[in-house]
């Protein structure tokens, strides 16, 4: 069959199953770099006015955002279909987003930057990661119930880890019947190590549910040559900081660590000409990522670098340094040290006369005393086989 007719049939099948089948998905394996554009897909649709087509091409040679491009699409679709009717807060409430994550999504909808004032409890990281994914699925369910969506993802083998996790969650949900997905990928391309587990889970789901088709080599198709790996540039450091911070607040932690490893090594090796604030923010983010990844020893090493950067700087940066160090010490069950460090945070917060920092410092102190000692009790029971 001529490739144009074959692809047109795939799109038609997706369109006809909208609002009928929650597994309205096809993964197209093609080693020739085939691309489908928005215009091409719209031309293949019978009722394109009733559908919103979203297309994206993944590139490995740039820093991808958390859950790219789904977070960007959420903001775009909210503005187009909901903003004139309900506020960001009302929309997030309508989507039944997990309470602790409401602020993250609301601030992102408003200006594209995530904010989270409430700390993540480290022992609940995995639970919260799952809640983020569930919230994203809920949001797309609400959006697609108002306007049906055709999603086209090109070069899925180049997607970041958070996106692969979301695809697995989205595909396994039986609620999003208003969404059709066409994903084009090359299964012969090597996948990044940190993504392999999620990629294998995705492939397993695709194969078990027979959602994949194989296309031959079409020489007259628009092609995309798989891009090279991401190489940081000094002039884009601030953009990297903002993207990685969003990853942290959205708990795309593995992706944040992968990119931060690359960026920080490049900064150190190439001696990037970046300002002191950017350097401090990079190291602070790297420290937080290590804590989230439960690598507290490395986090303490990063704290030493932060300490050298804060000795002659402002009190706000000193607060960040002591705060992160207390979190790392707590994870290592260095309770007395963590308690003293938390007290230092309280002192600085009062010196700054900052109500929010006072609150955070007080909570940190309580956390160190309660969660920290709880960990001691757990470790003791494990060591002595006490049930």
């Amino acid at each position: 069959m001529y490739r144009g007719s074959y692809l047109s049939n795939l799109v038609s099948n997706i369109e006809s199953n909208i609002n009928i089948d929650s597994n309205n998905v096809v993964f197209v394996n093609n080693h020739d770099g085939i691309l489908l554009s928005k215009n091409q897909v719209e031309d293949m649709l019978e009722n394109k006015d009733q559908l919103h087509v979203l297309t994206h091409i993944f590139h490995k040679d740039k820093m991808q955002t958390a859950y790219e491009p789904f977070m960007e699409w959420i903001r775009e679709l909210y503005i187009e279909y909901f903003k004139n009717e309900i506020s960001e807060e009302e929309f997030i409430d309508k989507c039944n987003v997990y309470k602790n994550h409401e602020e993250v999504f609301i601030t992102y909808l408003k200006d594209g930057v995530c904010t989270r004032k409430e700390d993540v409890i480290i022992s609940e990281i995995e639970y919260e990661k799952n809640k983020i994914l569930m919230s994203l699925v809920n949001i797309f369910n609400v959006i697609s119930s108002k306007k049906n969506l055709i999603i086209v993802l090109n070069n899925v083998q180049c997607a970041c880890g958070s996106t692969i996790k979301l695809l697995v969650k989205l595909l396994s949900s039986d609620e999003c019947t208003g969404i059709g997905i066409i994903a084009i990928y090359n299964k012969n391309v090597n996948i990044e190590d940190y993504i392999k587990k999620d990629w294998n889970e995705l492939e397993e789901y695709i194969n078990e549910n027979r959602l994949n088709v194989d296309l031959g080599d079409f020489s007259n198709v628009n092609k995309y040559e798989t891009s090279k790996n991401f190489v940081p540039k000094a002039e884009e450091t601030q953009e990297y900081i903002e993207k990685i911070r969003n990853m942290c607040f959205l708990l795309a932690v593995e992706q944040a660590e992968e990119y931060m490893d690359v960026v920080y090594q490049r900064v150190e090796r190439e001696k990037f000409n970046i300002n002191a604030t950017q350097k401090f923010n990079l190291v602070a983010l790297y420290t937080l990522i290590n804590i989230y990844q439960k690598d507290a020893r490395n986090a303490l090493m990063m704290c030493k670098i932060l300490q050298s950067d804060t000795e002659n700087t402002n009190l706000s940066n000193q607060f960040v340094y002591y705060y992160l160090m207390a979190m790392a010490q707590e994870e290592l069950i260095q309770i007395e040290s963590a308690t003293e460090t938390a007290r230092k945070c309280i002192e600085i917060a009062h010196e700054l006369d900052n109500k929010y920092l006072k609150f955070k410092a007080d909570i940190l102190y309580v956390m160190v005393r309660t969660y920290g000692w709880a960990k001691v009790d757990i470790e003791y029971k494990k060591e002595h086989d006490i049930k």
Side-chain angles (χ1 to χ4, degrees), residues 283-326:
V283 178
L285 268 176
Y286 209 170
T287 307
L288 182 63
I289 290 166
N290 282 317
I291 292 170
Y292 280 0
Q293 288 288 71
K294 300 183 179 179
D295 187 0
R297 294 193 183 281
N298 204 42
L300 276 184
M301 289 176 58
M302 298 306 296
C303 281
K304 290 181 180 179
I305 300 173
L306 272 182
Q307 183 181 26
S308 65
D309 289 340
T310 57
E311 285 176 341
N312 299 307
T313 190
N314 61 62
L315 285 174
S316 295
N317 283 0
Q318 288 184 36
F319 181 89
V320 172
Y321 157 65
Y322 285 113
Y323 197 93
L324 291 170
M325 185 162 71

Side-chain angles (χ1 to χ4, degrees), residues 192-203:
E192 300 286 345
D193 287 342
Y194 88 100
I195 299 175
K196 279 183 179 177
K197 181 181 176 183
D198 297 308
W199 181 265
N200 290 340
E201 187 178 349
L202 176 63
E203 279 202 317

Side-chain angles (χ1 to χ4, degrees), residues 32-168:
D32 203 32
I34 184 174
L35 292 176
L36 269 179
S37 69
K38 182 173 182 174
N39 287 340
Q40 284 176 309
V41 175
E42 287 179 338
D43 288 343
M44 296 173 185
L45 295 172
E46 187 175 338
N47 300 297
K48 67 178 181 180
D49 293 338
Q50 297 176 23
L51 298 161
H52 189 112
V53 177
L54 298 161
T55 61
H56 185 72
I57 303 173
F58 292 102
H59 299 270
K60 286 181 68 176
D61 59 354
K62 74 176 187 68
M63 180 181 285
Q64 296 178 39
T65 58
Y67 308 104
E68 182 175 317
F70 290 90
M71 285 297 295
E72 290 82 358
W73 283 345
I74 287 171
R75 189 160 184 257
E76 171 191 324
L77 294 166
Y78 164 74
I79 291 169
E80 183 164 353
Y81 295 112
F82 294 89
K83 190 173 178 62
N84 291 334
E85 300 173 7
I86 55 177
S87 68
E88 289 87 354
E89 290 81 0
E90 291 168 327
F91 174 74
I92 292 303
D93 182 62
K94 180 182 178 71
C95 294
N96 195 28
V97 167
Y98 180 55
K99 193 71 177 176
N100 288 2
H101 301 153
E102 287 179 352
E103 181 186 19
V104 176
F105 284 99
I106 289 167
T107 53
Y108 183 84
L109 286 178
K110 289 182 175 180
D111 58 20
V113 177
C114 296
T115 300
R116 176 169 174 161
K117 294 178 181 176
E118 184 178 327
D119 287 331
V120 178
I121 298 173
I122 305 305
S123 61
E124 296 183 359
I125 283 276
E126 295 306 315
Y127 174 80
E128 288 215 21
K129 285 179 182 178
N130 187 54
K131 284 294 188 181
I132 283 276
L133 293 170
M134 289 175 64
S135 293
L136 286 164
V137 172
N138 290 346
I139 291 170
F140 271 93
N141 187 34
V142 169
I143 292 172
S144 61
S145 65
K146 186 177 182 72
K147 186 71 173 182
N148 293 159
L149 306 174
I150 298 286
I151 291 175
V152 180
L153 301 170
N154 294 289
N155 266 5
V156 176
Q157 76 278 358
C158 295
C160 58
S162 62
T163 299
I164 301 302
K165 286 179 186 290
L166 177 56
L167 279 174
V168 173

